[in-house]
Amino acid sequence: MSDRSNAPCGDKPNCVSTQDNRDKHTLAPYSLKQGVTIEQVKTAALQLSGAKLASEKDQYLHIECTSKIMRFVDDLELKIEGEQLIVRSESRVGYSDFGVNRKRAEKLREILKDTGLLK
């Protein structure tokens, strides 16, 4: 999969992103403390339910998150740009995700806060 972290979400309500300004898709910025590494972000993100690393390159992570019951796979993309963490979470299949991607992104925010990585 190519890096889509800076791409806006499509029209289906199954995607959220810090790079999309539409109400149903937007996420508040994730401002990292100075010196936070992609390795630290990876450690935090892999604490999410069903998360496994799919690929990593430079300051970019692609993490696949698999649901427990139906085994659906969602794509979580994370990229450090300056002191901002770009976050994009999208379902691979289906129309609606029933808020799962937003909950995942906010859970990641909580983990990053708890580990002292966010401002």
Side-chain angles (χ1 to χ4, degrees):
M1 186 174 109
S2 62
D3 177 355
R4 298 175 304 154
S5 58
N6 285 310
C9 294
D11 290 331
K12 295 189 274 183
N14 66 358
C15 176
V16 293
S17 172
T18 54
Q19 301 301 96
D20 200 314
N21 59 10
R22 296 171 292 166
D23 287 343
K24 65 182 177 181
H25 298 290
T26 193
L27 290 171
Y30 290 64
S31 297
L32 299 170
K33 289 186 176 176
Q34 188 173 2
V36 170
T37 66
I38 198 69
E39 199 63 31
Q40 290 171 297
V41 171
K42 178 171 70 173
T43 298
L46 291 176
Q47 293 177 46
L48 295 167
S49 178
K52 74 172 186 175
L53 183 65
S55 67
E56 177 177 4
K57 184 177 182 187
D58 302 321
Q59 298 297 308
Y60 170 80
L61 300 171
H62 171 211
I63 296 172
E64 295 177 339
C65 299
T66 305
S67 65
K68 289 180 182 178
I69 297 172
M70 298 299 289
R71 310 300 297 162
F72 292 126
V73 178
D74 295 344
D75 295 300
L76 175 63
E77 295 180 88
L78 307 169
K79 183 166 50 175
I80 295 177
E81 289 186 353
E83 291 185 4
Q84 293 296 312
L85 180 65
I86 306 302
V87 177
R88 186 177 195 276
S89 187
E90 181 176 25
S91 299
R92 284 189 186 172
V93 297
Y95 181 76
S96 176
D97 68 352
F98 303 101
V100 169
N101 285 291
R102 183 169 302 281
K103 288 175 190 167
R104 177 181 301 113
E106 293 307 330
K107 180 64 177 174
L108 174 62
R109 185 186 309 276
E110 182 182 310
I111 293 168
L112 292 168
K113 279 183 184 175
D114 290 349
T115 55
L117 301 178
L118 290 183
K119 289 182 181 176

Short mmCIF file of all heavy atoms in Angstrom, two decimals, residues 41-79:
data_model
loop_
_atom_site.label_atom_id
_atom_site.label_comp_id
_atom_site.label_asym_id
_atom_site.label_seq_id
_atom_site.Cartn_x
_atom_site.Cartn_y
_atom_site.Cartn_z
N VAL A 41 6.35 6.41 18.61
CA VAL A 41 4.97 6.41 18.10
C VAL A 41 4.55 4.97 17.77
O VAL A 41 3.43 4.55 18.08
CB VAL A 41 4.84 7.33 16.87
CG1 VAL A 41 3.48 7.18 16.21
CG2 VAL A 41 5.09 8.78 17.27
N LYS A 42 5.44 4.21 17.17
CA LYS A 42 5.14 2.82 16.82
C LYS A 42 4.82 2.01 18.07
O LYS A 42 3.84 1.26 18.10
CB LYS A 42 6.31 2.19 16.06
CG LYS A 42 6.08 0.72 15.71
CD LYS A 42 7.14 0.17 14.79
CE LYS A 42 8.48 0.03 15.45
NZ LYS A 42 9.49 -0.66 14.61
N THR A 43 5.62 2.16 19.10
CA THR A 43 5.39 1.43 20.36
C THR A 43 4.01 1.75 20.92
O THR A 43 3.28 0.86 21.36
CB THR A 43 6.50 1.77 21.39
OG1 THR A 43 7.75 1.36 20.85
CG2 THR A 43 6.25 1.08 22.71
N ALA A 44 3.63 3.01 20.87
CA ALA A 44 2.31 3.42 21.36
C ALA A 44 1.20 2.85 20.49
O ALA A 44 0.22 2.29 21.00
CB ALA A 44 2.23 4.95 21.41
N ALA A 45 1.35 2.95 19.17
CA ALA A 45 0.30 2.51 18.25
C ALA A 45 0.07 1.00 18.31
O ALA A 45 -1.06 0.53 18.15
CB ALA A 45 0.63 2.93 16.83
N LEU A 46 1.12 0.26 18.55
CA LEU A 46 0.98 -1.20 18.59
C LEU A 46 0.28 -1.69 19.86
O LEU A 46 -0.02 -2.87 19.99
CB LEU A 46 2.33 -1.88 18.41
CG LEU A 46 2.91 -1.73 16.99
CD1 LEU A 46 4.30 -2.35 16.91
CD2 LEU A 46 1.99 -2.32 15.95
N GLN A 47 -0.03 -0.77 20.77
CA GLN A 47 -0.84 -1.11 21.95
C GLN A 47 -2.34 -1.14 21.61
O GLN A 47 -3.14 -1.64 22.39
CB GLN A 47 -0.60 -0.09 23.07
CG GLN A 47 0.79 -0.14 23.64
CD GLN A 47 0.99 0.92 24.70
OE1 GLN A 47 0.15 1.10 25.57
NE2 GLN A 47 2.11 1.62 24.63
N LEU A 48 -2.71 -0.61 20.45
CA LEU A 48 -4.11 -0.61 20.04
C LEU A 48 -4.59 -2.04 19.78
O LEU A 48 -3.82 -2.88 19.31
CB LEU A 48 -4.29 0.23 18.77
CG LEU A 48 -4.01 1.72 18.92
CD1 LEU A 48 -3.90 2.38 17.54
CD2 LEU A 48 -5.09 2.39 19.75
N SER A 49 -5.84 -2.28 20.04
CA SER A 49 -6.43 -3.60 19.84
C SER A 49 -6.29 -4.05 18.39
O SER A 49 -6.63 -3.32 17.46
CB SER A 49 -7.90 -3.55 20.23
OG SER A 49 -8.51 -4.79 20.01
N GLY A 50 -5.76 -5.26 18.19
CA GLY A 50 -5.65 -5.87 16.87
C GLY A 50 -4.59 -5.26 15.97
O GLY A 50 -4.55 -5.56 14.78
N ALA A 51 -3.72 -4.41 16.51
CA ALA A 51 -2.72 -3.70 15.69
C ALA A 51 -1.49 -4.56 15.41
O ALA A 51 -0.98 -5.24 16.29
CB ALA A 51 -2.30 -2.42 16.39
N LYS A 52 -1.03 -4.48 14.14
CA LYS A 52 0.24 -5.10 13.77
C LYS A 52 0.89 -4.23 12.70
O LYS A 52 0.20 -3.63 11.86
CB LYS A 52 0.08 -6.53 13.29
CG LYS A 52 -0.51 -6.69 11.93
CD LYS A 52 -0.47 -8.12 11.45
CE LYS A 52 -0.95 -8.17 10.01
NZ LYS A 52 -0.85 -9.45 9.41
N LEU A 53 2.19 -4.16 12.73
CA LEU A 53 2.92 -3.33 11.79
C LEU A 53 2.91 -3.97 10.42
O LEU A 53 3.29 -5.13 10.26
CB LEU A 53 4.37 -3.14 12.28
CG LEU A 53 5.25 -2.25 11.43
CD1 LEU A 53 4.74 -0.81 11.45
CD2 LEU A 53 6.69 -2.31 11.94
N ALA A 54 2.48 -3.21 9.42
CA ALA A 54 2.47 -3.70 8.03
C ALA A 54 3.69 -3.19 7.28
O ALA A 54 4.30 -3.93 6.52
CB ALA A 54 1.19 -3.26 7.32
N SER A 55 4.05 -1.93 7.50
CA SER A 55 5.25 -1.38 6.87
C SER A 55 5.72 -0.14 7.61
O SER A 55 4.94 0.52 8.31
CB SER A 55 5.01 -1.06 5.40
OG SER A 55 4.09 -0.01 5.25
N GLU A 56 6.99 0.15 7.42
CA GLU A 56 7.62 1.30 8.06
C GLU A 56 8.68 1.84 7.12
O GLU A 56 9.46 1.08 6.55
CB GLU A 56 8.25 0.86 9.38
CG GLU A 56 8.99 1.92 10.13
CD GLU A 56 9.53 1.43 11.46
OE1 GLU A 56 9.41 0.23 11.78
OE2 GLU A 56 10.09 2.27 12.18
N LYS A 57 8.66 3.16 6.93
CA LYS A 57 9.68 3.79 6.09
C LYS A 57 9.91 5.20 6.59
O LYS A 57 8.97 6.00 6.66
CB LYS A 57 9.24 3.81 4.63
CG LYS A 57 10.30 4.36 3.71
CD LYS A 57 9.89 4.31 2.27
CE LYS A 57 11.06 4.83 1.44
NZ LYS A 57 10.72 4.97 0.06
N ASP A 58 11.15 5.49 6.93
CA ASP A 58 11.53 6.82 7.42
C ASP A 58 10.61 7.23 8.57
O ASP A 58 10.59 6.58 9.59
CB ASP A 58 11.54 7.84 6.28
CG ASP A 58 12.48 7.45 5.15
OD1 ASP A 58 13.58 6.94 5.46
OD2 ASP A 58 12.13 7.65 3.98
N GLN A 59 9.82 8.27 8.37
CA GLN A 59 8.94 8.79 9.43
C GLN A 59 7.49 8.34 9.26
O GLN A 59 6.57 8.97 9.78
CB GLN A 59 9.01 10.33 9.43
CG GLN A 59 10.38 10.89 9.73
CD GLN A 59 10.86 10.51 11.13
OE1 GLN A 59 10.16 10.72 12.11
NE2 GLN A 59 12.03 9.92 11.21
N TYR A 60 7.27 7.23 8.55
CA TYR A 60 5.93 6.76 8.20
C TYR A 60 5.70 5.34 8.70
O TYR A 60 6.58 4.48 8.59
CB TYR A 60 5.77 6.79 6.67
CG TYR A 60 4.53 6.10 6.17
CD1 TYR A 60 3.29 6.73 6.21
CD2 TYR A 60 4.59 4.81 5.65
CE1 TYR A 60 2.15 6.08 5.75
CE2 TYR A 60 3.46 4.17 5.18
CZ TYR A 60 2.24 4.82 5.23
OH TYR A 60 1.11 4.19 4.78
N LEU A 61 4.50 5.11 9.24
CA LEU A 61 4.07 3.77 9.68
C LEU A 61 2.74 3.42 9.03
O LEU A 61 1.84 4.27 8.97
CB LEU A 61 3.87 3.73 11.19
CG LEU A 61 5.03 4.05 12.10
CD1 LEU A 61 4.55 4.18 13.54
CD2 LEU A 61 6.11 3.00 11.98
N HIS A 62 2.61 2.18 8.58
CA HIS A 62 1.31 1.64 8.15
C HIS A 62 1.03 0.49 9.09
O HIS A 62 1.78 -0.48 9.15
CB HIS A 62 1.37 1.16 6.70
CG HIS A 62 0.15 0.42 6.29
ND1 HIS A 62 0.18 -0.59 5.37
CD2 HIS A 62 -1.15 0.53 6.68
CE1 HIS A 62 -1.05 -1.07 5.21
NE2 HIS A 62 -1.87 -0.41 6.00
N ILE A 63 -0.06 0.62 9.84
CA ILE A 63 -0.44 -0.39 10.82
C ILE A 63 -1.81 -0.94 10.43
O ILE A 63 -2.73 -0.18 10.12
CB ILE A 63 -0.47 0.22 12.24
CG1 ILE A 63 0.95 0.65 12.61
CG2 ILE A 63 -1.05 -0.76 13.25
CD1 ILE A 63 1.06 1.42 13.88
N GLU A 64 -1.92 -2.26 10.41
CA GLU A 64 -3.20 -2.91 10.12
C GLU A 64 -3.85 -3.24 11.46
O GLU A 64 -3.22 -3.84 12.34
CB GLU A 64 -2.99 -4.17 9.31
CG GLU A 64 -2.44 -3.90 7.93
CD GLU A 64 -2.15 -5.15 7.13
OE1 GLU A 64 -1.98 -6.23 7.72
OE2 GLU A 64 -2.08 -5.03 5.90
N CYS A 65 -5.11 -2.87 11.59
CA CYS A 65 -5.88 -3.14 12.80
C CYS A 65 -7.02 -4.08 12.44
O CYS A 65 -7.89 -3.72 11.64
CB CYS A 65 -6.41 -1.84 13.40
SG CYS A 65 -5.12 -0.69 13.88
N THR A 66 -7.01 -5.25 13.01
CA THR A 66 -8.00 -6.28 12.70
C THR A 66 -9.02 -6.39 13.83
O THR A 66 -8.64 -6.54 15.00
CB THR A 66 -7.31 -7.65 12.49
OG1 THR A 66 -6.30 -7.49 11.49
CG2 THR A 66 -8.30 -8.71 12.06
N SER A 67 -10.30 -6.32 13.47
CA SER A 67 -11.35 -6.43 14.49
C SER A 67 -11.42 -7.86 15.01
O SER A 67 -11.15 -8.82 14.28
CB SER A 67 -12.70 -5.99 13.92
OG SER A 67 -13.12 -6.85 12.90
N LYS A 68 -11.81 -7.99 16.26
CA LYS A 68 -11.81 -9.30 16.92
C LYS A 68 -12.86 -10.26 16.35
O LYS A 68 -12.56 -11.41 16.08
CB LYS A 68 -12.04 -9.14 18.42
CG LYS A 68 -10.87 -8.54 19.13
CD LYS A 68 -11.13 -8.40 20.61
CE LYS A 68 -9.95 -7.75 21.29
NZ LYS A 68 -10.16 -7.55 22.70
N ILE A 69 -14.07 -9.79 16.15
CA ILE A 69 -15.15 -10.70 15.80
C ILE A 69 -15.23 -10.95 14.29
O ILE A 69 -15.12 -12.08 13.84
CB ILE A 69 -16.50 -10.17 16.34
CG1 ILE A 69 -16.43 -10.13 17.88
CG2 ILE A 69 -17.65 -11.04 15.87
CD1 ILE A 69 -17.60 -9.46 18.53
N MET A 70 -15.39 -9.90 13.51
CA MET A 70 -15.59 -10.07 12.07
C MET A 70 -14.28 -10.13 11.29
O MET A 70 -14.28 -10.40 10.10
CB MET A 70 -16.46 -8.93 11.52
CG MET A 70 -17.86 -8.90 12.13
SD MET A 70 -18.82 -10.38 11.83
CE MET A 70 -19.15 -10.21 10.09
N ARG A 71 -13.17 -9.85 11.94
CA ARG A 71 -11.83 -9.90 11.32
C ARG A 71 -11.65 -8.90 10.18
O ARG A 71 -10.87 -9.11 9.27
CB ARG A 71 -11.49 -11.32 10.83
CG ARG A 71 -11.72 -12.44 11.83
CD ARG A 71 -10.94 -12.34 13.10
NE ARG A 71 -9.50 -12.42 12.89
CZ ARG A 71 -8.61 -12.02 13.79
NH1 ARG A 71 -8.99 -11.53 14.93
NH2 ARG A 71 -7.34 -12.09 13.52
N PHE A 72 -12.39 -7.77 10.25
CA PHE A 72 -12.21 -6.69 9.28
C PHE A 72 -10.86 -6.03 9.52
O PHE A 72 -10.44 -5.86 10.66
CB PHE A 72 -13.31 -5.63 9.39
CG PHE A 72 -14.67 -6.10 8.98
CD1 PHE A 72 -15.74 -5.98 9.84
CD2 PHE A 72 -14.89 -6.67 7.73
CE1 PHE A 72 -17.00 -6.39 9.48
CE2 PHE A 72 -16.15 -7.09 7.35
CZ PHE A 72 -17.21 -6.96 8.22
N VAL A 73 -10.19 -5.61 8.45
CA VAL A 73 -8.89 -4.94 8.57
C VAL A 73 -9.05 -3.47 8.20
O VAL A 73 -9.60 -3.14 7.15
CB VAL A 73 -7.83 -5.60 7.67
CG1 VAL A 73 -6.50 -4.87 7.77
CG2 VAL A 73 -7.66 -7.07 8.02
N ASP A 74 -8.58 -2.61 9.09
CA ASP A 74 -8.55 -1.17 8.85
C ASP A 74 -7.09 -0.75 8.73
O ASP A 74 -6.20 -1.38 9.31
CB ASP A 74 -9.21 -0.40 9.99
CG ASP A 74 -10.70 -0.67 10.12
OD1 ASP A 74 -11.29 -1.20 9.17
OD2 ASP A 74 -11.25 -0.34 11.18
N ASP A 75 -6.86 0.32 7.99
CA ASP A 75 -5.51 0.83 7.80
C ASP A 75 -5.31 2.10 8.62
O ASP A 75 -6.03 3.09 8.44
CB ASP A 75 -5.27 1.13 6.32
CG ASP A 75 -5.30 -0.13 5.48
OD1 ASP A 75 -4.47 -1.02 5.74
OD2 ASP A 75 -6.16 -0.24 4.59
N LEU A 76 -4.33 2.07 9.51
CA LEU A 76 -3.94 3.21 10.32
C LEU A 76 -2.60 3.69 9.79
O LEU A 76 -1.64 2.91 9.77
CB LEU A 76 -3.84 2.82 11.79
CG LEU A 76 -3.32 3.88 12.75
CD1 LEU A 76 -4.26 5.09 12.80
CD2 LEU A 76 -3.14 3.29 14.14
N GLU A 77 -2.56 4.92 9.33
CA GLU A 77 -1.32 5.47 8.80
C GLU A 77 -0.88 6.63 9.69
O GLU A 77 -1.70 7.49 10.06
CB GLU A 77 -1.51 5.95 7.37
CG GLU A 77 -1.81 4.81 6.42
CD GLU A 77 -1.99 5.30 5.01
OE1 GLU A 77 -0.98 5.40 4.30
OE2 GLU A 77 -3.15 5.59 4.65
N LEU A 78 0.40 6.64 10.02
CA LEU A 78 0.97 7.64 10.91
C LEU A 78 2.25 8.17 10.30
O LEU A 78 3.07 7.39 9.81
CB LEU A 78 1.27 7.02 12.28
CG LEU A 78 0.12 6.28 12.95
CD1 LEU A 78 0.61 5.50 14.16
CD2 LEU A 78 -0.97 7.26 13.36
N LYS A 79 2.41 9.49 10.33
CA LYS A 79 3.63 10.07 9.80
C LYS A 79 4.00 11.31 10.61
O LYS A 79 3.15 12.15 10.88
CB LYS A 79 3.44 10.45 8.33
CG LYS A 79 4.70 11.01 7.70
CD LYS A 79 4.68 11.08 6.17
CE LYS A 79 3.49 11.72 5.58
NZ LYS A 79 3.57 11.88 4.13
#
